[in-house]
Amino acid sequence: MPDLFSGHAGLYAQYRIDYPAELYDYLLSFVQDRERAWDCATGNGQVAVVLAEHFGQVDATDISQSQLDKAVPKPNIRYHVSPAEQTPFPDQSFDLITVAQAVHWFDVGAFHREVRRVGKPGAVIAEWGYGLHRIDEQLDPVILDFYRNRIGPYWDPQRKHIDDRYTRLPFAFDNVQTREFSVYRRWTLERYLNYLRTWSSVQTYIRLHEEDEDRHDPVEALGERLQAIWGTGERDILFPVFLRLGIL
C-alpha cells in the first residue's frame, strides 16, 4: 500500500467525512461476539473510535505514523504502525475486521489471507468506501470535469476501484452482503475546498508542481470557478457510501 496521506494528515483528520450510524448498526448486526475488533488502515482512527463503543478491545493499524499521531486515544484502542497484509496479531484474534476507504490500495489477495489468519471462525469482514459526491445540476459538471480532467491523471491507478465500487476486487467470503448508505453534509465553499485538498490526487499534483506558483494549487483555481455558482452560503453535499460484508 503506498503511503499517500502522511504529508497531509492534519487536513485529513479535520476535513474528511465520517460514516453514518446506520452503517455501523448494519454491520454490527452480523457480529456474534464483541470481544475484539481490528480496524485496518485506520488513518486518524475515526472508525476505531466508534468500534471502541461496542468492543472490549480495538486494534487499529495504519502504515502512517503521521496519521496515527492525529488519532483519538481511548483506553480500549491500541494503535499500531503495520501494513494491512502482514500484522503482528495472533491467529484467530478478531470478531470483526473493518477497512474504510482503503482496501483498493492493498494487495487484496494478501490482505484477505491475513484476514483469514487473524479472524475467528464466523468473524465478519466489512469493507467500504465512497465515490464522487453530488451537489446539484449546476455544480456537478464543473466538479466532474475537475475530477476526471484537471486532476484525473494524478490519481493512483487503483482509484478506479472506488469508481467501480469494488466490484472488480475479489471477495471470497461466505454470506456476502452489499449495501449502500448516504452521508449528507452542509458546507461552505471554503470547507468544501479544504475537503478536496485531502484527495491524494490533489496532493500529488501540488507536490509535482510545487515550484510553479501559477499551478501550485489546483483547488484554488477550481474555487474561483465555483464561487459565482456556489454563492456565500452553505450547500448540501451527498456522499454515496458502498459497503460489502462477508463471514469467515
Side-chain angles (χ1 to χ4, degrees):
M1 174 182 176
D3 184 358
L4 300 175
F5 303 99
S6 286
H8 58 292
L11 276 173
Y12 199 94
Q14 187 173 358
Y15 294 113
R16 279 287 172 131
I17 69 167
D18 52 9
Y19 303 104
E22 292 82 3
L23 182 151
Y24 294 104
D25 290 343
Y26 179 74
L27 69 88
L28 288 170
S29 71
F30 291 88
V31 180
Q32 296 180 355
D33 298 309
R34 299 188 182 180
E35 294 178 4
R36 193 173 176 188
W38 169 28
D39 183 42
C40 183
T42 194
N44 55 47
Q46 62 169 241
V47 173
V49 168
V50 177
L51 296 182
E53 299 174 3
H54 301 277
F55 288 82
Q57 180 179 318
V58 176
D59 289 275
T61 61
D62 203 278
I63 62 169
S64 169
Q65 183 65 59
S66 296
Q67 287 278 4
L68 296 180
D69 288 343
K70 303 292 183 182
V72 176
K74 281 191 172 289
N76 62 333
I77 301 178
R78 296 192 298 193
Y79 292 104
H80 314 258
V81 176
S82 173
E85 300 86 354
Q86 188 174 6
T87 68
F89 307 126
D91 294 356
Q92 298 187 7
S93 294
F94 298 106
D95 303 293
L96 172 67
I97 299 166
T98 58
V99 188
Q101 194 72 357
V103 77
H104 52 289
W105 302 118
F106 300 171
D107 177 334
V108 177
F111 170 62
H112 286 166
R113 287 192 293 274
E114 186 70 350
V115 166
R116 291 189 180 280
R117 183 184 73 79
V118 302
K120 298 176 183 178
V124 173
I125 168 70
E127 302 172 350
W128 68 88
Y130 58 94
L132 187 62
H133 49 277
R134 298 192 295 272
I135 304 178
D136 65 26
E137 61 183 12
Q138 288 184 292
L139 291 164
D140 288 353
V142 180
I143 294 162
L144 182 61
D145 177 67
F146 177 79
Y147 177 80
R148 287 181 175 173
N149 301 316
R150 179 64 164 163
I151 51 91
Y154 299 88
W155 285 112
D156 186 279
Q158 298 304 99
R159 174 70 188 189
K160 66 180 182 291
H161 293 301
I162 286 289
D163 294 331
D164 292 342
R165 300 187 171 211
Y166 291 169
T167 55
R168 289 193 285 170
L169 292 178
F171 197 67
F173 297 97
D174 294 334
N175 194 25
V176 171
Q177 308 289 319
T178 60
R179 188 80 178 266
E180 296 183 2
F181 303 88
S182 296
V183 174
Y184 293 93
R185 294 292 179 267
R186 187 167 180 83
W187 287 346
T188 63
L189 178 58
E190 180 182 7
R191 173 66 177 78
Y192 172 71
L193 295 177
N194 279 323
Y195 159 72
L196 295 184
R197 290 187 175 99
T198 70
W199 285 2
S200 60
S201 57
V202 169
Q203 291 299 314
T204 298
Y205 183 105
I206 289 172
R207 186 173 65 254
L208 293 176
H209 296 284
E210 60 185 354
E211 296 182 1
D212 185 347
E213 293 185 3
D214 293 335
R215 303 180 65 193
H216 177 62
D217 184 356
V219 173
E220 184 175 347
L222 175 66
E224 293 173 358
R225 291 183 65 191
L226 295 178
Q227 182 67 68
I229 308 172
W230 192 290
T232 58
E234 297 178 329
R235 292 287 190 128
D236 292 318
I237 305 170
L238 166 63
F239 293 86
V241 178
F242 57 90
L243 167 80
R244 64 182 189 178
L245 176 152
I247 309 296
L248 275 64

